[in-house]
Amino acid sequence: MDSFKQNAVVFDCAGTLVEMYRVTKELKTGKIILDADNLKLVTESPGRGLIIMDVPLSLVQNQPEERLLSDFMRQEKIPFGVAYAAKGFDAGDISRILMTDQTVMRHFLETNREAVSFFDDIIYEVFGFIIDSNENKITHAMSTGGKLFDSARSVAAAAAANCDLFIASGDDYGNLNRVADKLNIPQENVIGLCDDVKKEKIVRELQNHYPKVIMIGDGINDILAMNAADFSILISRSNYHTPDELKDAADEIVDELGECTEILNGYILE
Protein backbone atom coordinates (compact mmCIF):
# COMPACT_ATOMS: atom_id res chain seq x y z
CA MET A 1 0.00 0.00 0.00
CA ASP A 2 1.44 3.34 -1.08
CA SER A 3 0.59 6.37 1.03
CA PHE A 4 1.86 9.90 1.49
CA LYS A 5 0.63 10.04 5.06
CA GLN A 6 2.03 8.57 8.24
CA ASN A 7 -1.25 7.69 9.93
CA ALA A 8 -4.50 5.85 9.24
CA VAL A 9 -7.92 6.42 10.78
CA VAL A 10 -10.43 3.59 10.59
CA PHE A 11 -14.03 4.69 11.09
CA ASP A 12 -16.91 2.44 11.92
CA CYS A 13 -19.90 3.80 9.99
CA ALA A 14 -23.34 3.13 11.48
CA GLY A 15 -23.61 5.01 14.75
CA THR A 16 -20.19 6.60 14.25
CA LEU A 17 -20.35 8.61 11.02
CA VAL A 18 -24.05 8.06 10.40
CA GLU A 19 -26.87 8.75 12.83
CA MET A 20 -29.08 5.67 12.72
CA TYR A 21 -32.74 5.05 13.42
CA ARG A 22 -33.16 1.30 13.72
CA VAL A 23 -36.57 -0.36 13.68
CA THR A 24 -36.68 -4.02 14.64
CA LYS A 25 -39.59 -6.46 14.77
CA GLU A 26 -39.61 -9.31 17.25
CA LEU A 27 -41.12 -12.06 15.13
CA LYS A 28 -42.43 -14.19 17.99
CA THR A 29 -44.60 -11.44 19.46
CA GLY A 30 -44.96 -9.06 16.50
CA LYS A 31 -43.66 -6.23 18.68
CA ILE A 32 -42.07 -3.32 16.80
CA ILE A 33 -39.04 -1.90 18.62
CA LEU A 34 -38.35 1.72 17.66
CA ASP A 35 -34.79 3.08 17.83
CA ALA A 36 -33.64 -0.46 18.57
CA ASP A 37 -30.22 -1.38 19.92
CA ASN A 38 -29.61 -4.46 17.75
CA LEU A 39 -26.17 -5.28 19.12
CA LYS A 40 -27.67 -5.42 22.61
CA LEU A 41 -30.44 -7.71 21.33
CA VAL A 42 -27.79 -10.05 19.97
CA THR A 43 -25.82 -10.17 23.22
CA GLU A 44 -28.96 -10.94 25.26
CA SER A 45 -29.03 -14.55 24.06
CA PRO A 46 -26.12 -16.93 23.34
CA GLY A 47 -26.15 -18.20 19.79
CA ARG A 48 -27.51 -15.08 18.11
CA GLY A 49 -25.98 -13.32 15.13
CA LEU A 50 -26.87 -10.06 13.35
CA ILE A 51 -26.96 -10.64 9.59
CA ILE A 52 -26.82 -7.72 7.15
CA MET A 53 -28.03 -8.09 3.57
CA ASP A 54 -26.24 -6.25 0.76
CA VAL A 55 -29.42 -5.36 -1.12
CA PRO A 56 -30.80 -2.23 -2.83
CA LEU A 57 -33.83 -0.60 -1.23
CA SER A 58 -35.84 -0.73 -4.47
CA LEU A 59 -35.41 -4.49 -4.77
CA VAL A 60 -36.82 -5.08 -1.27
CA GLN A 61 -39.69 -2.64 -1.75
CA ASN A 62 -40.79 -4.43 -4.92
CA GLN A 63 -41.14 -7.82 -3.24
CA PRO A 64 -44.53 -9.48 -2.57
CA GLU A 65 -45.27 -9.32 1.15
CA GLU A 66 -45.67 -13.08 1.52
CA ARG A 67 -42.53 -14.07 -0.36
CA LEU A 68 -40.21 -16.08 1.87
CA LEU A 69 -36.99 -14.34 2.86
CA SER A 70 -35.10 -17.55 2.07
CA ASP A 71 -36.53 -17.66 -1.47
CA PHE A 72 -35.75 -13.97 -1.98
CA MET A 73 -32.13 -14.35 -0.88
CA ARG A 74 -31.57 -17.52 -2.91
CA GLN A 75 -33.27 -16.47 -6.14
CA GLU A 76 -31.93 -12.91 -6.13
CA LYS A 77 -28.46 -14.06 -5.02
CA ILE A 78 -28.35 -11.56 -2.13
CA PRO A 79 -24.90 -11.25 -0.51
CA PHE A 80 -24.90 -11.08 3.26
CA GLY A 81 -22.48 -10.86 6.17
CA VAL A 82 -22.38 -11.34 9.93
CA ALA A 83 -22.11 -7.89 11.51
CA TYR A 84 -21.85 -9.22 15.05
CA ALA A 85 -22.41 -12.50 16.86
CA ALA A 86 -22.75 -13.67 20.44
CA LYS A 87 -20.87 -16.65 21.80
CA GLY A 88 -22.27 -19.90 20.50
CA PHE A 89 -23.29 -18.53 17.11
CA ASP A 90 -22.10 -20.56 14.13
CA ALA A 91 -22.16 -18.78 10.76
CA GLY A 92 -22.49 -22.17 9.14
CA ASP A 93 -26.00 -22.40 10.60
CA ILE A 94 -27.34 -19.51 8.49
CA SER A 95 -27.97 -21.47 5.30
CA ARG A 96 -29.32 -24.47 7.21
CA ILE A 97 -31.83 -22.37 9.16
CA LEU A 98 -32.92 -20.42 6.09
CA MET A 99 -33.85 -23.67 4.34
CA THR A 100 -36.82 -24.18 6.68
CA ASP A 101 -37.45 -20.69 8.09
CA GLN A 102 -40.84 -19.15 7.24
CA THR A 103 -39.98 -15.45 7.66
CA VAL A 104 -41.64 -13.40 4.91
CA MET A 105 -40.73 -10.08 3.33
CA ARG A 106 -43.69 -8.29 4.93
CA HIS A 107 -41.69 -7.84 8.13
CA PHE A 108 -38.94 -5.96 6.32
CA LEU A 109 -41.43 -3.76 4.48
CA GLU A 110 -43.13 -2.89 7.78
CA THR A 111 -39.90 -1.99 9.55
CA ASN A 112 -38.59 -0.07 6.54
CA ARG A 113 -41.66 2.19 6.45
CA GLU A 114 -41.00 3.18 10.06
CA ALA A 115 -37.24 3.51 9.64
CA VAL A 116 -37.23 5.84 6.64
CA SER A 117 -39.87 8.19 8.02
CA PHE A 118 -37.71 9.41 10.92
CA PHE A 119 -35.12 11.54 9.06
CA ASP A 120 -35.68 13.91 6.15
CA ASP A 121 -32.22 13.60 4.57
CA ILE A 122 -31.62 9.85 4.59
CA ILE A 123 -28.58 8.49 2.75
CA TYR A 124 -28.40 5.11 4.48
CA GLU A 125 -30.91 2.24 4.40
CA VAL A 126 -30.03 -1.17 5.78
CA PHE A 127 -31.91 -4.47 5.97
CA GLY A 128 -30.99 -7.36 8.20
CA PHE A 129 -32.15 -9.97 10.65
CA ILE A 130 -31.13 -11.68 13.86
CA ILE A 131 -30.77 -15.43 13.61
CA ASP A 132 -30.46 -17.81 16.57
CA SER A 133 -28.36 -20.96 16.26
CA ASN A 134 -29.88 -22.44 19.40
CA GLU A 135 -33.51 -21.76 18.49
CA ASN A 136 -32.84 -22.64 14.83
CA LYS A 137 -34.80 -19.67 13.52
CA ILE A 138 -34.82 -15.99 12.66
CA THR A 139 -35.96 -14.08 15.73
CA HIS A 140 -35.99 -10.45 14.51
CA ALA A 141 -36.32 -8.53 11.24
CA MET A 142 -34.59 -5.16 11.02
CA SER A 143 -34.55 -2.03 8.86
CA THR A 144 -32.56 1.15 9.41
CA GLY A 145 -32.62 4.68 8.08
CA GLY A 146 -29.63 6.94 8.60
CA LYS A 147 -28.20 10.37 7.89
CA LEU A 148 -24.72 11.81 8.29
CA PHE A 149 -23.99 13.29 11.66
CA ASP A 150 -23.71 17.06 11.35
CA SER A 151 -20.03 16.92 12.31
CA ALA A 152 -19.06 14.01 10.03
CA ARG A 153 -17.74 16.14 7.17
CA SER A 154 -15.64 18.41 9.39
CA VAL A 155 -14.17 15.51 11.37
CA ALA A 156 -13.28 13.57 8.21
CA ALA A 157 -11.77 16.66 6.56
CA ALA A 158 -9.66 17.46 9.64
CA ALA A 159 -8.47 13.86 9.94
CA ALA A 160 -7.58 13.72 6.24
CA ALA A 161 -5.02 16.49 6.71
CA ASN A 162 -2.65 14.03 8.40
CA CYS A 163 -4.22 10.61 7.90
CA ASP A 164 -5.45 8.23 5.23
CA LEU A 165 -9.10 7.44 5.97
CA PHE A 166 -10.80 4.04 5.95
CA ILE A 167 -14.28 2.73 6.73
CA ALA A 168 -14.75 -0.75 8.21
CA SER A 169 -18.37 -1.62 8.91
CA GLY A 170 -20.78 -4.49 9.19
CA ASP A 171 -23.14 -2.80 6.72
CA ASP A 172 -23.41 -3.25 2.97
CA TYR A 173 -21.21 -1.65 0.33
CA GLY A 174 -23.95 0.42 -1.33
CA ASN A 175 -24.59 2.43 1.82
CA LEU A 176 -20.93 2.62 2.81
CA ASN A 177 -19.84 3.88 -0.59
CA ARG A 178 -22.45 6.67 -0.47
CA VAL A 179 -21.06 7.78 2.87
CA ALA A 180 -17.49 7.54 1.59
CA ASP A 181 -18.33 9.73 -1.39
CA LYS A 182 -19.84 12.38 0.89
CA LEU A 183 -16.67 12.39 3.03
CA ASN A 184 -14.13 12.15 0.20
CA ILE A 185 -12.94 8.74 1.36
CA PRO A 186 -11.73 6.57 -1.56
CA GLN A 187 -14.03 3.63 -2.21
CA GLU A 188 -11.02 1.31 -2.28
CA ASN A 189 -10.62 2.20 1.42
CA VAL A 190 -14.14 0.95 2.23
CA ILE A 191 -14.56 -2.56 3.66
CA GLY A 192 -18.13 -3.73 4.26
CA LEU A 193 -19.91 -6.73 5.78
CA CYS A 194 -17.32 -6.83 8.58
CA ASP A 195 -17.74 -8.59 11.89
CA ASP A 196 -15.55 -7.78 14.89
CA VAL A 197 -12.83 -10.24 13.85
CA LYS A 198 -12.55 -8.79 10.35
CA LYS A 199 -12.33 -5.24 11.75
CA GLU A 200 -9.44 -6.33 13.96
CA LYS A 201 -7.73 -7.92 10.96
CA ILE A 202 -8.06 -4.69 8.98
CA VAL A 203 -6.45 -2.67 11.75
CA ARG A 204 -3.56 -5.12 12.08
CA GLU A 205 -2.96 -5.17 8.33
CA LEU A 206 -2.87 -1.37 8.24
CA GLN A 207 -0.27 -1.42 11.02
CA ASN A 208 2.09 -3.04 8.52
CA HIS A 209 1.96 0.19 6.50
CA TYR A 210 1.36 3.00 8.98
CA PRO A 211 3.23 3.95 12.18
CA LYS A 212 -0.07 4.91 13.83
CA VAL A 213 -3.51 3.39 13.23
CA ILE A 214 -6.48 4.96 15.01
CA MET A 215 -9.87 3.26 15.40
CA ILE A 216 -13.06 5.27 15.96
CA GLY A 217 -16.26 3.38 16.74
CA ASP A 218 -19.32 3.17 18.93
CA GLY A 219 -20.35 -0.46 19.33
CA ILE A 220 -19.34 -3.75 20.88
CA ASN A 221 -18.43 -5.04 17.40
CA ASP A 222 -15.57 -2.48 17.41
CA ILE A 223 -13.92 -3.81 20.57
CA LEU A 224 -11.33 -6.08 18.94
CA ALA A 225 -10.28 -3.35 16.50
CA MET A 226 -9.99 -0.89 19.38
CA ASN A 227 -7.79 -3.26 21.33
CA ALA A 228 -5.59 -3.80 18.28
CA ALA A 229 -5.29 -0.13 17.28
CA ASP A 230 -2.46 2.13 18.41
CA PHE A 231 -5.09 4.57 19.65
CA SER A 232 -8.88 4.28 19.86
CA ILE A 233 -11.79 6.63 20.42
CA LEU A 234 -15.18 5.38 21.61
CA ILE A 235 -18.32 7.40 20.93
CA SER A 236 -20.61 6.52 23.83
CA ARG A 237 -24.10 7.93 23.42
CA SER A 238 -26.77 7.93 26.10
CA ASN A 239 -29.44 6.25 23.94
CA TYR A 240 -27.41 3.05 23.37
CA HIS A 241 -25.94 0.57 25.79
CA THR A 242 -22.15 0.76 26.08
CA PRO A 243 -20.71 -2.27 27.90
CA ASP A 244 -17.94 -1.68 30.43
CA GLU A 245 -15.52 -3.88 28.48
CA LEU A 246 -15.95 -1.62 25.45
CA LYS A 247 -15.19 1.45 27.55
CA ASP A 248 -12.10 -0.30 28.92
CA ALA A 249 -10.86 -0.94 25.38
CA ALA A 250 -10.91 2.75 24.42
CA ASP A 251 -8.11 5.24 24.99
CA GLU A 252 -10.60 8.12 24.87
CA ILE A 253 -14.39 8.23 25.33
CA VAL A 254 -16.50 11.05 23.88
CA ASP A 255 -20.21 11.84 23.74
CA GLU A 256 -20.33 12.79 20.08
CA LEU A 257 -18.32 12.59 16.88
CA GLY A 258 -17.35 16.26 16.76
CA GLU A 259 -15.13 15.87 19.83
CA CYS A 260 -12.81 13.54 17.91
CA THR A 261 -10.99 16.26 15.94
CA GLU A 262 -9.16 17.82 18.88
CA ILE A 263 -8.29 14.41 20.32
CA LEU A 264 -6.98 13.15 16.97
CA ASN A 265 -4.85 16.22 16.46
CA GLY A 266 -3.41 15.92 19.94
CA TYR A 267 -2.50 12.26 19.47
CA ILE A 268 -1.09 12.60 15.94
CA LEU A 269 1.01 15.67 16.70
CA GLU A 270 2.36 14.54 20.06
Side-chain angles (χ1 to χ4, degrees):
M1 180 184 298
D2 296 323
S3 173
F4 296 102
K5 297 174 182 175
Q6 292 296 304
N7 315 285
V9 175
V10 181
F11 290 99
D12 171 53
C13 194
T16 298
L17 295 170
V18 177
E19 183 176 2
M20 308 297 282
Y21 188 71
R22 301 174 176 94
V23 179
T24 300
K25 183 175 184 180
E26 185 179 43
L27 299 181
K28 182 177 181 180
T29 64
K31 177 183 177 182
I32 298 288
I33 307 169
L34 301 178
D35 202 17
D37 187 342
N38 290 320
L39 296 183
K40 187 171 185 291
L41 287 173
V42 170
T43 60
E44 285 176 349
S45 180
R48 283 184 177 176
L50 175 60
I51 314 304
I52 301 299
M53 295 184 284
D54 190 354
V55 57
L57 169 67
S58 58
L59 183 57
V60 176
Q61 289 181 330
N62 289 330
Q63 296 309 306
E65 288 192 349
E66 298 309 311
R67 185 177 188 182
L68 289 176
L69 170 67
S70 56
D71 176 71
F72 169 67
M73 293 182 68
R74 182 176 63 256
Q75 295 295 328
E76 306 296 339
K77 297 181 172 60
I78 304 299
F80 62 88
V82 181
Y84 184 65
K87 290 182 179 179
F89 178 77
D90 185 347
D93 288 336
I94 299 172
S95 296
R96 175 182 60 79
I97 292 171
L98 282 171
M99 287 179 65
T100 57
D101 188 85
Q102 297 299 300
T103 299
V104 295
M105 297 303 295
R106 179 182 71 253
H107 305 302
F108 299 94
L109 297 171
E110 289 175 359
T111 53
N112 178 252
R113 284 192 291 268
E114 290 279 356
V116 301
S117 65
F118 191 76
F119 296 123
D120 292 330
D121 48 351
I122 283 180
I123 66 164
Y124 211 81
E125 292 182 277
V126 178
F127 296 93
F129 51 90
I130 296 174
I131 198 165
D132 193 309
S133 292
N134 295 327
E135 295 187 21
N136 291 309
K137 65 181 181 180
I138 294 173
T139 60
H140 298 76
M142 177 274 290
S143 299
T144 298
K147 69 179 187 68
L148 279 177
F149 278 109
D150 293 339
S151 57
R153 287 183 176 87
S154 62
V155 170
N162 295 293
C163 306
D164 287 328
L165 306 186
F166 297 81
I167 294 176
S169 170
D171 288 333
D172 64 281
Y173 278 93
N175 283 295
L176 297 178
N177 286 334
R178 281 196 296 275
V179 171
D181 289 344
K182 295 283 187 182
L183 302 180
N184 296 315
I185 298 174
Q187 289 193 2
E188 59 265 29
N189 290 2
V190 174
I191 308 97
L193 301 175
C194 293
D195 62 6
D196 49 348
V197 174
K198 188 172 180 180
K199 288 185 181 185
E200 178 190 22
K201 182 180 179 182
I202 291 163
V203 167
R204 294 197 184 280
E205 288 178 348
L206 289 173
Q207 286 170 328
N208 293 324
H209 304 279
Y210 296 89
K212 293 180 179 179
V213 177
I214 301 105
M215 177 69 197
I216 301 177
D218 75 308
I220 189 64
N221 57 346
D222 299 315
I223 189 170
L224 297 181
M226 287 186 169
N227 279 324
D230 299 289
F231 187 77
S232 59
I233 303 174
L234 170 65
I235 303 171
S236 178
R237 297 188 178 86
S238 59
N239 57 329
Y240 288 103
H241 173 65
T242 305
D244 289 340
E245 62 265 34
L246 182 56
K247 294 178 181 178
D248 292 341
D251 294 295
E252 293 282 353
I253 302 174
V254 299
D255 295 322
E256 64 99 13
L257 178 64
E259 298 175 63
C260 293
T261 296
E262 183 176 354
I263 294 171
L264 277 173
N265 288 337
Y267 173 71
I268 291 167
L269 299 176
E270 68 180 10

